[in-house]
C-alpha cells in the first residue's frame, strides 16, 4: 500500500535433492511456462520446459505455497520436453520473438542448435532420469572448440538486406563466445 518496501510472495518451489538447478528462463508470452537449466543423471547440464499447470504439486506446511513433487530424480514431470547435447553442457537459450515454437541453444564447447518445439518430437529414456521428449533440431552449427556463452534472436525483421523472407526458417540471431567478447 504505502510502504517503500518491495514485497514478495513465494508461489512455487521446486525442491532439488539429486540435481542442481542453475537458471530459469520464462516464456516471453506465457507466464505458465519456463525453461529450467539443471544437471541430468549423466552430469550434463540441460534445459527442461516446465509447464506450471501440468506439474504435480502439494502445499508446503509452513509457507502455504505450492511445492513441486519431482517425477524422478532428474525429471520434473514424465514426458517433459528437454533440450540437451550428449557431448556438451547447455550455456544459454533464447525463445524466438516471432515464433515461440523456435528455440535457440548454445553449448559450452559444442554446437549452436535451432529447435522446433512443435515438429516431430521423439521420446528418450535416460538412466535414472525418467522419460523425456526431444524436439526436432532444425539446424545445427558445429562450433568445435569454441565455447559459446550467450545467444539471442534479433528483435527486428529487416536485419539483413531486404529480400524475400517467405522461406526463412526464423529471424536472424546472434551468439557470443569467449566470455561474450566475440559476437
Amino acid at each position: 500500500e504505502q510502504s517503500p518496501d518491495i514485497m514478495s510472495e513465494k508461489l512455487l518451489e521446486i525442491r532439488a535433492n539429486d540435481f542442481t538447478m542453475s537458471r530459469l528462463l520464462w516464456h516471453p508470452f506465457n507466464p505458465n511456462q519456463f525453461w529450467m537449466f539443471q544437471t541430468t543423471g549423466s552430469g550434463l547440464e540441460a534445459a527442461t520446459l516446465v509447464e506450471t499447470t501440468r506439474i504435480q504439486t502439494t502445499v508446503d506446511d509452513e509457507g502455504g505455497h505450492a511445492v513441486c513433487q519431482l517425477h524422478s530424480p532428474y525429471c520434473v514431470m514424465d514426458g517433459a520436453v528437454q533440450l540437451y547435447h550428449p557431448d556438451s553442457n547447455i550455456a544459454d537459450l533464447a525463445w524466438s520473438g516471432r515464433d515461440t515454437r523456435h528455440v535457440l541453444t548454445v553449448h559450452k564447447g559444442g554446437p549452436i542448435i535451432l529447435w522446433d518445439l512443435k515438429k516431430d518430437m521423439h521420446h528418450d529414456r535416460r538412466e535414472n532420469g525418467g522419460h523425456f521428449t526431444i524436439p526436432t533440431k532444425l539446424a545445427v552449427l558445429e562450433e568445435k572448440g569454441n565455447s559459446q556463452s550467450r545467444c539471442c534472436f534479433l528483435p527486428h525483421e529487416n536485419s539483413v538486406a531486404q529480400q524475400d523472407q517467405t522461406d526463412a526458417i526464423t529471424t536472424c540471431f546472434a551468439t557470443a563466445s569467449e566470455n561474450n567478447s566475440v559476437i
Side-chain angles (χ1 to χ4, degrees), residues 83-101:
L83 306 178
Y84 80 103
H85 189 271
D87 300 324
S88 61
N89 289 324
I90 190 168
D92 196 21
L93 179 147
W95 245 301
S96 171
R98 182 169 90 180
D99 188 348
T100 57
R101 71 185 183 153

Side-chain angles (χ1 to χ4, degrees), residues 20 27 33 39 43 52 58 69 76 79 93 99 108 116-117 131 137-138 140-141 164 171 182:
T20 304
H27 189 287
Q33 289 184 343
T39 55
T52 60
T58 59
Q69 299 300 308
V76 175
L93 179 147
D99 188 348
K108 298 172 186 169
D116 188 335
L117 299 180
H131 177 261
K137 295 176 184 176
L138 290 177
V140 178
L141 303 171
D164 184 12
T171 57
V182 176

